[in-house]
C-alpha cells in the first residue's frame, strides 16, 4: 500500500516537473521569438549592411550572448568567436595587439561597462563611434543601442559593425603624411649618429632660453673628446664612432632631459643647463660626467683610454647672446685642454690660470 502511494506521489511530482519543463520550453520559445523580433527591428532601423552585430548583456560585465550575421544567422557558434571585455587584462591586450584607436570624441566611454550603463540611464539610446583597427588597416563604424530587458531588468545592447574604410581614404593619406612629416622634422633637428639635437636645432633652443630675460642663470657646457684624432688614427674610425656614441649616451644619462643636449659635429658636444640655481651642484654634475666617461669600455679586447674636457660659460638670461656665451665656453675649453685635459674650467674675464675658476678630475691612466 505504501509503495503504491509512493509511486502515485512520484508520478504526480514527475507530471509537475514535466509541466514545468514544458512551460520553460514555451517561455524559451517566446524569448527566442522576442529576440528574433528585436533583431529584425534592429536591422530594419540600422540597415542590412553590417559586417556583424553583437547582442550583449552588460549587467555583470560584457557578456556576449550572440554574434549575428546580417541574415540573422549566428556567427558565434559558426566561428567560435568571442569578444573580450575591453576593461580587463585580456581586453586591453586585444586592443594593444590589434592597434585599436578611437576616433570619435568620448568613444572610450563605450568600452567601459559602468560608463555604458551610465549612458543608458542618462537616456542616451545609442552611441555611434568609429575605431581604427591597425592590424587589419580597417576603419569600422560601431552603432551601439542600449535597452533594458523588461523581464529581468538587465541592461542589454546591440552593436552593429560596418566597414567604412572607403570613407577614411583621405584621412588615411593625411595620417601617412603626418607620420612622414614628423619623421622628417625629427631628422632635421637631430644628429643622425647620436640622436641628440643637431647644431642648428640646439642653437635655436639655447637662443630662446637666453633671450627670455627672466633673470635665470644658465650655463653653456662645451664638451670635447680628448685626443680624438689619435683614437681614429690608432684604432680606426669604427672605434672613433663607438667613442662618440658612448659619450653621447653618457651625456643623455648624466644630464637632465629637460636641458638642451646636442652634438655640434665631430667630437664636439654642447649641453645647455637652463636653470643653474646652485653653481656648486653644476660643478658636481660636470665632474660626475667626466668621471663616468673614463669608465666607458669602447673595445673589450683593446685598451682605448677615453677622457673628455669641458669649458663652461655662465650668464643670466637676457644679459648676453649665444655667440658670446659660446665663445666664452670655447675659451674655457681651450684652457682645459692646455692644462692637462680630462678637466673643466669655468670662464672668467681674465681667463688666466691663476684667476680662472678651475676644477679637474684627478685620474690615473688605465
Amino acid at each position: 500500500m505504501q509503495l503504491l502511494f509512493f509511486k502515485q506521489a512520484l508520478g504526480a511530482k514527475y507530471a509537475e516537473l514535466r509541466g514545468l519543463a514544458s512551460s520553460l520550453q514555451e517561455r524559451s520559445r517566446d524569448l527566442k521569438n522576442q529576440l528574433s523580433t528585436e533583431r529584425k527591428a534592429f536591422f530594419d532601423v540600422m540597415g542590412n549592411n553590417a559586417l556583424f552585430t553583437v547582442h550583449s548583456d552588460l549587467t555583470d560585465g560584457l557578456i556576449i550572448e550572440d554574434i549575428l550575421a546580417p541574415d540573422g544567422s549566428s556567427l558565434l557558434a559558426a566561428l567560435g568567436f568571442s569578444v573580450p571585455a575591453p576593461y580587463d587584462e585580456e581586453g586591453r591586450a586585444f586592443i594593444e595587439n590589434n592597434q585599436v584607436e578611437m576616433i570619435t570624441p568620448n568613444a572610450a566611454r563605450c568600452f567601459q561597462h559602468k560608463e555604458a550603463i551610465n549612458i543608458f540611464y542618462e537616456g542616451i539610446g545609442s552611441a555611434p563611434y568609429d575605431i581604427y583597427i591597425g592590424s587589419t588597416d580597417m576603419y569600422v563604424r560601431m552603432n551601439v543601442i542600449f535597452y533594458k530587458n523588461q523581464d529581468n531588468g538587465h541592461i542589454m545592447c546591440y552593436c552593429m559593425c560596418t566597414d567604412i574604410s572607403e570613407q577614411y581614404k583621405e584621412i588615411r593619406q593625411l595620417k601617412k603624411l603626418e607620420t612622414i612629416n614628423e619623421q622628417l622634422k625629427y631628422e632635421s633637428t637631430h644628429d643622425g649618429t647620436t640622436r641628440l639635437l643637431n647644431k642648428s636645432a640646439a642653437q635655436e633652443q639655447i637662443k630662446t632660453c637666453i633671450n627670455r630675460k627672466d633673470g635665470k642663470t644658465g650655463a653653456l657646457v662645451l664638451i670635447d673628446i680628448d685626443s680624438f684624432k689619435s683614437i681614429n688614427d690608432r684604432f680606426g674610425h669604427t672605434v672613433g664612432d663607438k667613442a662618440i656614441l658612448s659619450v653621447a649616451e653618457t651625456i643623455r644619462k648624466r644630464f637632465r632631459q629637460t636641458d638642451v643636449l646636442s652634438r655640434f659635429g665631430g667630437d664636439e658636444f654642447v649641453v645647455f643647463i637652463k636653470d643653474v640655481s646652485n653653481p656648486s651642484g653644476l660643478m658636481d654634475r660636470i665632474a660626475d660626467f667626466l668621471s663616468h666617461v673614463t669608465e666607458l669600455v669602447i673595445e673589450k679586447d683593446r685598451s682605448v683610454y677615453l677622457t673628455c674636457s669641458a669649458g663652461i660659460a655662465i650668464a643670466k638670461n637676457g644679459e648676453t647672446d649665444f655667440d658670446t656665451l659660446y665663445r666664452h665656453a670655447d675659451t674655457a675649453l681651450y684652457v682645459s685642454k692646455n692644462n692637462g685635459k680630462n678637466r673643466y674650467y669655468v670662464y672668467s674675464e681674465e681667463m688666466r690660470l691663476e684667476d680662472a675658476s678651475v676644477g679637474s678630475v684627478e685620474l690615473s691612466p688605465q
Side-chain angles (χ1 to χ4, degrees), residues 287-335:
D288 173 70
F289 163 74
L290 294 179
S291 64
H292 274 83
V293 169
T294 64
E295 296 172 5
L296 294 174
V297 178
I298 308 303
E299 290 282 280
K300 289 183 179 179
D301 302 324
R302 303 164 83 177
S303 180
V304 183
Y305 183 56
L306 191 65
T307 64
C308 283
S309 296
I312 307 167
I314 300 176
K316 284 187 178 181
N317 294 345
E319 294 184 358
T320 188
D321 58 82
F322 172 81
D323 292 336
T324 301
L325 201 61
Y326 179 85
R327 188 170 63 252
H328 288 172
D330 190 46
T331 300
L333 175 63
Y334 179 80
V335 175

Side-chain angles (χ1 to χ4, degrees), residues 9-51:
L10 186 59
K13 189 66 175 176
Y14 180 70
E16 182 184 345
L17 289 174
R18 285 189 62 182
L20 179 60
S22 176
S23 175
L24 288 174
Q25 286 177 351
E26 185 177 345
R27 179 62 181 152
S28 176
R29 282 195 297 271
D30 290 343
L31 289 174
K32 285 181 179 179
N33 290 335
Q34 180 185 348
L35 177 59
S36 178
T37 302
E38 290 175 349
R39 179 185 303 174
K40 185 176 183 305
F42 177 77
F43 279 113
D44 286 344
V45 173
M46 302 306 298
N48 201 36
N49 62 341
L51 298 171

Side-chain angles (χ1 to χ4, degrees), residues 197-212 218-221 259-262 264 269-274 317-318 320-323 325-326:
L197 288 173
N198 60 28
K199 183 176 181 178
S200 60
Q203 280 184 341
E204 186 177 342
Q205 288 194 23
I206 295 169
K207 287 177 181 178
T208 299
C209 290
I210 63 180
N211 290 336
R212 281 177 183 161
L220 187 71
V221 185
D259 294 322
V260 180
L261 312 178
S262 66
F264 268 36
F269 300 87
V270 170
V271 174
F272 183 75
I273 312 296
K274 295 180 180 180
N317 294 345
T320 188
D321 58 82
F322 172 81
D323 292 336
L325 201 61
Y326 179 85

